[in-house]
PDB file of all heavy atoms in Angstrom:
ATOM      1  N   ARG J   1       0.900  -1.144   0.028  1.00 94.00           N
ATOM      2  CA  ARG J   1      -0.001   0.012  -0.004  1.00 94.00           C
ATOM      3  C   ARG J   1       0.937   1.195  -0.023  1.00 94.00           C
ATOM      4  O   ARG J   1       2.148   1.073   0.116  1.00 94.00           O
ATOM      5  CB  ARG J   1      -0.942  -0.029   1.237  1.00 94.00           C
ATOM      6  CG  ARG J   1      -1.828  -1.231   1.363  1.00 94.00           C
ATOM      7  CD  ARG J   1      -2.448  -1.258   2.727  1.00 94.00           C
ATOM      8  NE  ARG J   1      -3.420  -0.108   2.994  1.00 94.00           N
ATOM      9  CZ  ARG J   1      -4.595  -0.153   3.097  1.00 94.00           C
ATOM     10  NH1 ARG J   1      -5.256  -1.346   3.062  1.00 94.00           N
ATOM     11  NH2 ARG J   1      -5.281   0.948   3.323  1.00 94.00           N
ATOM     12  N   HIS J   2       0.355   2.379  -0.100  1.00 92.00           N
ATOM     13  CA  HIS J   2       1.090   3.633  -0.092  1.00 92.00           C
ATOM     14  C   HIS J   2       1.932   3.751   1.135  1.00 92.00           C
ATOM     15  O   HIS J   2       3.221   4.097   1.000  1.00 92.00           O
ATOM     16  CB  HIS J   2       0.180   4.882  -0.218  1.00 92.00           C
ATOM     17  CG  HIS J   2      -0.427   5.003  -1.547  1.00 92.00           C
ATOM     18  ND1 HIS J   2       0.232   5.794  -2.518  1.00 92.00           N
ATOM     19  CD2 HIS J   2      -1.597   4.579  -2.074  1.00 92.00           C
ATOM     20  CE1 HIS J   2      -0.545   5.789  -3.603  1.00 92.00           C
ATOM     21  NE2 HIS J   2      -1.548   5.099  -3.362  1.00 92.00           N
ATOM     22  N   ASP J   3       1.425   3.360   2.298  1.00 93.00           N
ATOM     23  CA  ASP J   3       2.178   3.544   3.528  1.00 93.00           C
ATOM     24  C   ASP J   3       3.180   2.438   3.822  1.00 93.00           C
ATOM     25  O   ASP J   3       3.990   2.589   4.744  1.00 93.00           O
ATOM     26  CB  ASP J   3       1.241   3.727   4.713  1.00 93.00           C
ATOM     27  CG  ASP J   3       0.237   2.587   4.866  1.00 93.00           C
ATOM     28  OD1 ASP J   3       0.145   1.756   3.923  1.00 93.00           O
ATOM     29  OD2 ASP J   3      -0.423   2.509   5.876  1.00 93.00           O
ATOM     30  N   THR J   4       3.081   1.341   3.022  1.00 96.00           N
ATOM     31  CA  THR J   4       4.104   0.292   3.249  1.00 96.00           C
ATOM     32  C   THR J   4       5.005   0.093   2.149  1.00 96.00           C
ATOM     33  O   THR J   4       5.887  -0.772   2.158  1.00 96.00           O
ATOM     34  CB  THR J   4       3.316  -1.083   3.511  1.00 96.00           C
ATOM     35  OG1 THR J   4       2.541  -1.417   2.264  1.00 96.00           O
ATOM     36  CG2 THR J   4       2.249  -0.950   4.658  1.00 96.00           C
ATOM     37  N   LEU J   5       4.833   0.849   1.021  1.00 97.00           N
ATOM     38  CA  LEU J   5       5.585   0.568  -0.188  1.00 97.00           C
ATOM     39  C   LEU J   5       7.136   0.634  -0.012  1.00 97.00           C
ATOM     40  O   LEU J   5       7.826  -0.281  -0.399  1.00 97.00           O
ATOM     41  CB  LEU J   5       5.231   1.526  -1.294  1.00 97.00           C
ATOM     42  CG  LEU J   5       5.868   1.383  -2.586  1.00 97.00           C
ATOM     43  CD1 LEU J   5       5.588  -0.002  -3.144  1.00 97.00           C
ATOM     44  CD2 LEU J   5       5.393   2.499  -3.564  1.00 97.00           C
ATOM     45  N   TYR J   6       7.552   1.661   0.719  1.00 98.00           N
ATOM     46  CA  TYR J   6       9.033   1.749   0.948  1.00 98.00           C
ATOM     47  C   TYR J   6       9.642   0.514   1.610  1.00 98.00           C
ATOM     48  O   TYR J   6      10.633  -0.079   1.161  1.00 98.00           O
ATOM     49  CB  TYR J   6       9.337   3.072   1.628  1.00 98.00           C
ATOM     50  CG  TYR J   6      10.817   3.126   2.021  1.00 98.00           C
ATOM     51  CD1 TYR J   6      11.852   3.477   1.169  1.00 98.00           C
ATOM     52  CD2 TYR J   6      11.176   2.842   3.378  1.00 98.00           C
ATOM     53  CE1 TYR J   6      13.153   3.474   1.496  1.00 98.00           C
ATOM     54  CE2 TYR J   6      12.529   2.930   3.764  1.00 98.00           C
ATOM     55  CZ  TYR J   6      13.502   3.193   2.816  1.00 98.00           C
ATOM     56  OH  TYR J   6      14.810   3.276   3.188  1.00 98.00           O
ATOM     57  N   ASP J   7       9.091   0.212   2.815  1.00 98.00           N
ATOM     58  CA  ASP J   7       9.683  -0.806   3.553  1.00 98.00           C
ATOM     59  C   ASP J   7       9.515  -2.140   2.838  1.00 98.00           C
ATOM     60  O   ASP J   7      10.433  -2.906   2.914  1.00 98.00           O
ATOM     61  CB  ASP J   7       8.981  -0.921   4.953  1.00 98.00           C
ATOM     62  CG  ASP J   7       9.316   0.281   5.818  1.00 98.00           C
ATOM     63  OD1 ASP J   7      10.486   0.892   5.672  1.00 98.00           O
ATOM     64  OD2 ASP J   7       8.562   0.719   6.687  1.00 98.00           O
ATOM     65  N   ARG J   8       8.314  -2.408   2.344  1.00 98.00           N
ATOM     66  CA  ARG J   8       8.058  -3.722   1.640  1.00 98.00           C
ATOM     67  C   ARG J   8       8.985  -3.859   0.420  1.00 98.00           C
ATOM     68  O   ARG J   8       9.569  -4.919   0.158  1.00 98.00           O
ATOM     69  CB  ARG J   8       6.650  -3.844   1.308  1.00 98.00           C
ATOM     70  CG  ARG J   8       5.701  -3.821   2.483  1.00 98.00           C
ATOM     71  CD  ARG J   8       5.530  -5.159   3.112  1.00 98.00           C
ATOM     72  NE  ARG J   8       4.754  -6.096   2.339  1.00 98.00           N
ATOM     73  CZ  ARG J   8       4.678  -7.410   2.600  1.00 98.00           C
ATOM     74  NH1 ARG J   8       5.251  -7.928   3.645  1.00 98.00           N
ATOM     75  NH2 ARG J   8       3.927  -8.183   1.765  1.00 98.00           N
ATOM     76  N   LEU J   9       9.034  -2.847  -0.394  1.00 98.00           N
ATOM     77  CA  LEU J   9       9.862  -2.938  -1.580  1.00 98.00           C
ATOM     78  C   LEU J   9      11.338  -3.062  -1.287  1.00 98.00           C
ATOM     79  O   LEU J   9      12.106  -3.801  -1.942  1.00 98.00           O
ATOM     80  CB  LEU J   9       9.580  -1.750  -2.529  1.00 98.00           C
ATOM     81  CG  LEU J   9       9.968  -1.879  -3.974  1.00 98.00           C
ATOM     82  CD1 LEU J   9       9.293  -3.082  -4.606  1.00 98.00           C
ATOM     83  CD2 LEU J   9       9.526  -0.629  -4.758  1.00 98.00           C
ATOM     84  N   LYS J  10      11.780  -2.378  -0.284  1.00 98.00           N
ATOM     85  CA  LYS J  10      13.205  -2.514   0.046  1.00 98.00           C
ATOM     86  C   LYS J  10      13.536  -3.906   0.557  1.00 98.00           C
ATOM     87  O   LYS J  10      14.511  -4.507   0.087  1.00 98.00           O
ATOM     88  CB  LYS J  10      13.554  -1.531   1.237  1.00 98.00           C
ATOM     89  CG  LYS J  10      15.048  -1.537   1.676  1.00 98.00           C
ATOM     90  CD  LYS J  10      15.329  -0.474   2.699  1.00 98.00           C
ATOM     91  CE  LYS J  10      16.795  -0.485   3.087  1.00 98.00           C
ATOM     92  NZ  LYS J  10      17.129   0.608   4.069  1.00 98.00           N
ATOM     93  N   ALA J  11      12.654  -4.517   1.277  1.00 98.00           N
ATOM     94  CA  ALA J  11      12.864  -5.849   1.749  1.00 98.00           C
ATOM     95  C   ALA J  11      12.894  -6.880   0.564  1.00 98.00           C
ATOM     96  O   ALA J  11      13.712  -7.774   0.520  1.00 98.00           O
ATOM     97  CB  ALA J  11      11.794  -6.350   2.784  1.00 98.00           C
ATOM     98  N   LEU J  12      11.975  -6.666  -0.365  1.00 98.00           N
ATOM     99  CA  LEU J  12      11.961  -7.572  -1.507  1.00 98.00           C
ATOM    100  C   LEU J  12      13.200  -7.425  -2.451  1.00 98.00           C
ATOM    101  O   LEU J  12      13.744  -8.379  -2.838  1.00 98.00           O
ATOM    102  CB  LEU J  12      10.713  -7.273  -2.372  1.00 98.00           C
ATOM    103  CG  LEU J  12      10.427  -8.275  -3.457  1.00 98.00           C
ATOM    104  CD1 LEU J  12      10.020  -9.612  -2.913  1.00 98.00           C
ATOM    105  CD2 LEU J  12       9.283  -7.721  -4.403  1.00 98.00           C
ATOM    106  N   LEU J  13      13.583  -6.219  -2.726  1.00 98.00           N
ATOM    107  CA  LEU J  13      14.648  -5.978  -3.578  1.00 98.00           C
ATOM    108  C   LEU J  13      16.001  -6.415  -3.080  1.00 98.00           C
ATOM    109  O   LEU J  13      17.059  -6.617  -3.710  1.00 98.00           O
ATOM    110  CB  LEU J  13      14.726  -4.571  -4.042  1.00 98.00           C
ATOM    111  CG  LEU J  13      13.474  -4.069  -4.858  1.00 98.00           C
ATOM    112  CD1 LEU J  13      13.706  -2.662  -5.373  1.00 98.00           C
ATOM    113  CD2 LEU J  13      13.096  -4.994  -5.964  1.00 98.00           C
ATOM    114  N   THR J  14      16.129  -6.437  -1.636  1.00 98.00           N
ATOM    115  CA  THR J  14      17.421  -6.818  -1.013  1.00 98.00           C
ATOM    116  C   THR J  14      17.419  -8.313  -0.613  1.00 98.00           C
ATOM    117  O   THR J  14      18.380  -8.706  -0.004  1.00 98.00           O
ATOM    118  CB  THR J  14      17.637  -5.885   0.205  1.00 98.00           C
ATOM    119  OG1 THR J  14      16.553  -6.012   1.053  1.00 98.00           O
ATOM    120  CG2 THR J  14      17.849  -4.519  -0.294  1.00 98.00           C
ATOM    121  N   SER J  15      16.410  -9.092  -0.901  1.00 98.00           N
ATOM    122  CA  SER J  15      16.381 -10.403  -0.563  1.00 98.00           C
ATOM    123  C   SER J  15      16.040 -11.340  -1.671  1.00 98.00           C
ATOM    124  O   SER J  15      14.893 -11.424  -2.129  1.00 98.00           O
ATOM    125  CB  SER J  15      15.328 -10.663   0.579  1.00 98.00           C
ATOM    126  OG  SER J  15      15.229 -12.091   0.901  1.00 98.00           O
ATOM    127  N   ARG J  16      17.009 -12.031  -2.235  1.00 98.00           N
ATOM    128  CA  ARG J  16      16.732 -12.999  -3.260  1.00 98.00           C
ATOM    129  C   ARG J  16      15.810 -14.105  -2.883  1.00 98.00           C
ATOM    130  O   ARG J  16      14.914 -14.548  -3.593  1.00 98.00           O
ATOM    131  CB  ARG J  16      18.052 -13.532  -3.820  1.00 98.00           C
ATOM    132  CG  ARG J  16      17.971 -14.612  -4.893  1.00 98.00           C
ATOM    133  CD  ARG J  16      19.342 -15.019  -5.365  1.00 98.00           C
ATOM    134  NE  ARG J  16      19.277 -16.036  -6.395  1.00 98.00           N
ATOM    135  CZ  ARG J  16      19.206 -17.351  -6.186  1.00 98.00           C
ATOM    136  NH1 ARG J  16      19.212 -17.854  -4.920  1.00 98.00           N
ATOM    137  NH2 ARG J  16      19.106 -18.244  -7.183  1.00 98.00           N
ATOM    138  N   ASP J  17      16.044 -14.622  -1.634  1.00 98.00           N
ATOM    139  CA  ASP J  17      15.204 -15.625  -1.086  1.00 98.00           C
ATOM    140  C   ASP J  17      13.723 -15.285  -1.042  1.00 98.00           C
ATOM    141  O   ASP J  17      12.863 -16.005  -1.407  1.00 98.00           O
ATOM    142  CB  ASP J  17      15.661 -16.184   0.294  1.00 98.00           C
ATOM    143  CG  ASP J  17      17.026 -16.826   0.234  1.00 98.00           C
ATOM    144  OD1 ASP J  17      17.383 -17.367  -0.882  1.00 98.00           O
ATOM    145  OD2 ASP J  17      17.594 -16.995   1.302  1.00 98.00           O
ATOM    146  N   LEU J  18      13.468 -14.013  -0.655  1.00 98.00           N
ATOM    147  CA  LEU J  18      12.021 -13.560  -0.545  1.00 98.00           C
ATOM    148  C   LEU J  18      11.447 -13.460  -1.928  1.00 98.00           C
ATOM    149  O   LEU J  18      10.278 -13.852  -2.127  1.00 98.00           O
ATOM    150  CB  LEU J  18      12.004 -12.208   0.205  1.00 98.00           C
ATOM    151  CG  LEU J  18      10.652 -11.565   0.435  1.00 98.00           C
ATOM    152  CD1 LEU J  18       9.795 -12.547   1.283  1.00 98.00           C
ATOM    153  CD2 LEU J  18      10.842 -10.180   1.073  1.00 98.00           C
ATOM    154  N   ARG J  19      12.217 -13.053  -2.822  1.00 98.00           N
ATOM    155  CA  ARG J  19      11.674 -12.929  -4.252  1.00 98.00           C
ATOM    156  C   ARG J  19      11.332 -14.315  -4.752  1.00 98.00           C
ATOM    157  O   ARG J  19      10.325 -14.590  -5.395  1.00 98.00           O
ATOM    158  CB  ARG J  19      12.717 -12.241  -5.169  1.00 98.00           C
ATOM    159  CG  ARG J  19      12.878 -10.741  -4.842  1.00 98.00           C
ATOM    160  CD  ARG J  19      13.684 -10.078  -5.988  1.00 98.00           C
ATOM    161  NE  ARG J  19      15.005 -10.615  -6.223  1.00 98.00           N
ATOM    162  CZ  ARG J  19      16.138 -10.230  -5.503  1.00 98.00           C
ATOM    163  NH1 ARG J  19      16.072  -9.308  -4.641  1.00 98.00           N
ATOM    164  NH2 ARG J  19      17.291 -10.736  -5.846  1.00 98.00           N
ATOM    165  N   LEU J  20      12.214 -15.319  -4.534  1.00 98.00           N
ATOM    166  CA  LEU J  20      12.022 -16.670  -5.011  1.00 98.00           C
ATOM    167  C   LEU J  20      10.798 -17.306  -4.371  1.00 98.00           C
ATOM    168  O   LEU J  20      10.049 -18.016  -4.973  1.00 98.00           O
ATOM    169  CB  LEU J  20      13.276 -17.496  -4.688  1.00 98.00           C
ATOM    170  CG  LEU J  20      14.475 -17.176  -5.607  1.00 98.00           C
ATOM    171  CD1 LEU J  20      15.673 -18.049  -5.202  1.00 98.00           C
ATOM    172  CD2 LEU J  20      14.186 -17.324  -7.079  1.00 98.00           C
ATOM    173  N   GLN J  21      10.591 -17.022  -3.028  1.00 97.00           N
ATOM    174  CA  GLN J  21       9.463 -17.601  -2.315  1.00 97.00           C
ATOM    175  C   GLN J  21       8.142 -17.212  -3.069  1.00 97.00           C
ATOM    176  O   GLN J  21       7.201 -18.027  -3.181  1.00 97.00           O
ATOM    177  CB  GLN J  21       9.419 -17.037  -0.904  1.00 97.00           C
ATOM    178  CG  GLN J  21      10.516 -17.705  -0.014  1.00 97.00           C
ATOM    179  CD  GLN J  21      10.497 -17.051   1.373  1.00 97.00           C
ATOM    180  OE1 GLN J  21       9.515 -16.474   1.720  1.00 97.00           O
ATOM    181  NE2 GLN J  21      11.600 -17.146   2.077  1.00 97.00           N
ATOM    182  N   HIS J  22       8.045 -15.914  -3.399  1.00 98.00           N
ATOM    183  CA  HIS J  22       6.789 -15.439  -4.075  1.00 98.00           C
ATOM    184  C   HIS J  22       6.775 -15.834  -5.565  1.00 98.00           C
ATOM    185  O   HIS J  22       5.657 -16.231  -6.051  1.00 98.00           O
ATOM    186  CB  HIS J  22       6.717 -13.924  -3.925  1.00 98.00           C
ATOM    187  CG  HIS J  22       6.307 -13.517  -2.543  1.00 98.00           C
ATOM    188  ND1 HIS J  22       5.031 -13.282  -2.190  1.00 98.00           N
ATOM    189  CD2 HIS J  22       7.103 -13.223  -1.551  1.00 98.00           C
ATOM    190  CE1 HIS J  22       5.002 -12.949  -0.880  1.00 98.00           C
ATOM    191  NE2 HIS J  22       6.260 -12.835  -0.522  1.00 98.00           N
ATOM    192  N   ALA J  23       7.838 -15.900  -6.182  1.00 98.00           N
ATOM    193  CA  ALA J  23       7.865 -16.315  -7.654  1.00 98.00           C
ATOM    194  C   ALA J  23       7.445 -17.775  -7.793  1.00 98.00           C
ATOM    195  O   ALA J  23       6.768 -18.107  -8.750  1.00 98.00           O
ATOM    196  CB  ALA J  23       9.180 -15.982  -8.272  1.00 98.00           C
ATOM    197  N   GLU J  24       7.927 -18.589  -6.864  1.00 98.00           N
ATOM    198  CA  GLU J  24       7.700 -19.993  -6.999  1.00 98.00           C
ATOM    199  C   GLU J  24       6.269 -20.405  -6.707  1.00 98.00           C
ATOM    200  O   GLU J  24       5.831 -21.498  -7.121  1.00 98.00           O
ATOM    201  CB  GLU J  24       8.677 -20.735  -6.062  1.00 98.00           C
ATOM    202  CG  GLU J  24      10.121 -20.717  -6.529  1.00 98.00           C
ATOM    203  CD  GLU J  24      10.987 -21.192  -5.416  1.00 98.00           C
ATOM    204  OE1 GLU J  24      10.653 -21.449  -4.283  1.00 98.00           O
ATOM    205  OE2 GLU J  24      12.287 -21.225  -5.697  1.00 98.00           O
ATOM    206  N   ARG J  25       5.481 -19.523  -6.088  1.00 97.00           N
ATOM    207  CA  ARG J  25       4.074 -19.853  -5.836  1.00 97.00           C
ATOM    208  C   ARG J  25       3.131 -19.412  -6.938  1.00 97.00           C
ATOM    209  O   ARG J  25       1.943 -19.736  -6.918  1.00 97.00           O
ATOM    210  CB  ARG J  25       3.677 -19.202  -4.502  1.00 97.00           C
ATOM    211  CG  ARG J  25       4.337 -19.757  -3.287  1.00 97.00           C
ATOM    212  CD  ARG J  25       4.143 -18.869  -2.061  1.00 97.00           C
ATOM    213  NE  ARG J  25       2.742 -18.574  -1.834  1.00 97.00           N
ATOM    214  CZ  ARG J  25       2.298 -17.524  -1.194  1.00 97.00           C
ATOM    215  NH1 ARG J  25       3.187 -16.642  -0.708  1.00 97.00           N
ATOM    216  NH2 ARG J  25       1.027 -17.259  -1.054  1.00 97.00           N
ATOM    217  N   GLY J  26       3.646 -18.606  -7.854  1.00 98.00           N
ATOM    218  CA  GLY J  26       2.759 -17.927  -8.807  1.00 98.00           C
ATOM    219  C   GLY J  26       2.064 -18.902  -9.749  1.00 98.00           C
ATOM    220  O   GLY J  26       0.829 -18.730  -9.920  1.00 98.00           O
ATOM    221  N   LEU J  27       2.735 -19.785 -10.366  1.00 98.00           N
ATOM    222  CA  LEU J  27       2.168 -20.632 -11.425  1.00 98.00           C
ATOM    223  C   LEU J  27       1.064 -21.455 -10.849  1.00 98.00           C
ATOM    224  O   LEU J  27      -0.021 -21.575 -11.475  1.00 98.00           O
ATOM    225  CB  LEU J  27       3.283 -21.511 -12.068  1.00 98.00           C
ATOM    226  CG  LEU J  27       2.814 -22.397 -13.160  1.00 98.00           C
ATOM    227  CD1 LEU J  27       2.210 -21.588 -14.308  1.00 98.00           C
ATOM    228  CD2 LEU J  27       3.989 -23.266 -13.751  1.00 98.00           C
ATOM    229  N   SER J  28       1.226 -22.112  -9.754  1.00 98.00           N
ATOM    230  CA  SER J  28       0.285 -22.953  -9.165  1.00 98.00           C
ATOM    231  C   SER J  28      -1.022 -22.167  -8.774  1.00 98.00           C
ATOM    232  O   SER J  28      -2.101 -22.677  -8.921  1.00 98.00           O
ATOM    233  CB  SER J  28       0.778 -23.748  -7.915  1.00 98.00           C
ATOM    234  OG  SER J  28       1.127 -22.798  -6.825  1.00 98.00           O
ATOM    235  N   PHE J  29      -0.881 -20.923  -8.328  1.00 98.00           N
ATOM    236  CA  PHE J  29      -2.004 -20.074  -8.034  1.00 98.00           C
ATOM    237  C   PHE J  29      -2.830 -19.820  -9.341  1.00 98.00           C
ATOM    238  O   PHE J  29      -4.040 -19.929  -9.260  1.00 98.00           O
ATOM    239  CB  PHE J  29      -1.544 -18.746  -7.418  1.00 98.00           C
ATOM    240  CG  PHE J  29      -2.730 -17.829  -7.039  1.00 98.00           C
ATOM    241  CD1 PHE J  29      -3.535 -18.059  -5.981  1.00 98.00           C
ATOM    242  CD2 PHE J  29      -2.981 -16.778  -7.877  1.00 98.00           C
ATOM    243  CE1 PHE J  29      -4.555 -17.197  -5.627  1.00 98.00           C
ATOM    244  CE2 PHE J  29      -4.056 -15.887  -7.520  1.00 98.00           C
ATOM    245  CZ  PHE J  29      -4.818 -16.131  -6.434  1.00 98.00           C
ATOM    246  N   VAL J  30      -2.157 -19.516 -10.362  1.00 98.00           N
ATOM    247  CA  VAL J  30      -2.850 -19.238 -11.608  1.00 98.00           C
ATOM    248  C   VAL J  30      -3.606 -20.503 -12.032  1.00 98.00           C
ATOM    249  O   VAL J  30      -4.728 -20.472 -12.506  1.00 98.00           O
ATOM    250  CB  VAL J  30      -1.926 -18.829 -12.767  1.00 98.00           C
ATOM    251  CG1 VAL J  30      -2.578 -18.695 -14.126  1.00 98.00           C
ATOM    252  CG2 VAL J  30      -1.228 -17.418 -12.444  1.00 98.00           C
ATOM    253  N   GLN J  31      -2.955 -21.662 -11.949  1.00 98.00           N
ATOM    254  CA  GLN J  31      -3.579 -22.942 -12.285  1.00 98.00           C
ATOM    255  C   GLN J  31      -4.775 -23.222 -11.414  1.00 98.00           C
ATOM    256  O   GLN J  31      -5.727 -23.822 -11.961  1.00 98.00           O
ATOM    257  CB  GLN J  31      -2.529 -24.032 -12.101  1.00 98.00           C
ATOM    258  CG  GLN J  31      -1.413 -23.997 -13.140  1.00 98.00           C
ATOM    259  CD  GLN J  31      -0.258 -24.993 -12.891  1.00 98.00           C
ATOM    260  OE1 GLN J  31      -0.038 -25.298 -11.696  1.00 98.00           O
ATOM    261  NE2 GLN J  31       0.385 -25.465 -13.989  1.00 98.00           N
ATOM    262  N   GLN J  32      -4.769 -22.863 -10.188  1.00 97.00           N
ATOM    263  CA  GLN J  32      -5.844 -23.145  -9.314  1.00 97.00           C
ATOM    264  C   GLN J  32      -6.995 -22.180  -9.496  1.00 97.00           C
ATOM    265  O   GLN J  32      -8.209 -22.659  -9.388  1.00 97.00           O
ATOM    266  CB  GLN J  32      -5.354 -23.031  -7.779  1.00 97.00           C
ATOM    267  CG  GLN J  32      -4.436 -24.103  -7.372  1.00 97.00           C
ATOM    268  CD  GLN J  32      -3.706 -23.746  -6.130  1.00 97.00           C
ATOM    269  OE1 GLN J  32      -4.128 -22.847  -5.352  1.00 97.00           O
ATOM    270  NE2 GLN J  32      -2.572 -24.443  -5.814  1.00 97.00           N
TER     271      GLN J  32
END
């Protein structure tokens, strides 16, 4: 959200593991 964008985006862009956690769940969600 507007008030969480800075903190959340910083965490995502500085953590490869966090990015992979979300990327790996995407395809199955679309399929479901």
Side-chain angles (χ1 to χ4, degrees):
R1 299 169 63 115
H2 286 270
D3 56 349
T4 66
L5 181 60
Y6 169 78
D7 291 331
R8 298 275 289 170
L9 199 53
K10 182 175 183 179
L12 186 69
L13 298 187
T14 56
S15 173
R16 178 177 179 271
D17 289 343
L18 184 59
R19 294 194 298 272
L20 290 176
Q21 288 173 22
H22 285 270
E24 289 167 356
R25 294 167 50 204
L27 182 60
S28 62
F29 180 77
V30 174
Q31 291 170 332
Q32 292 166 15

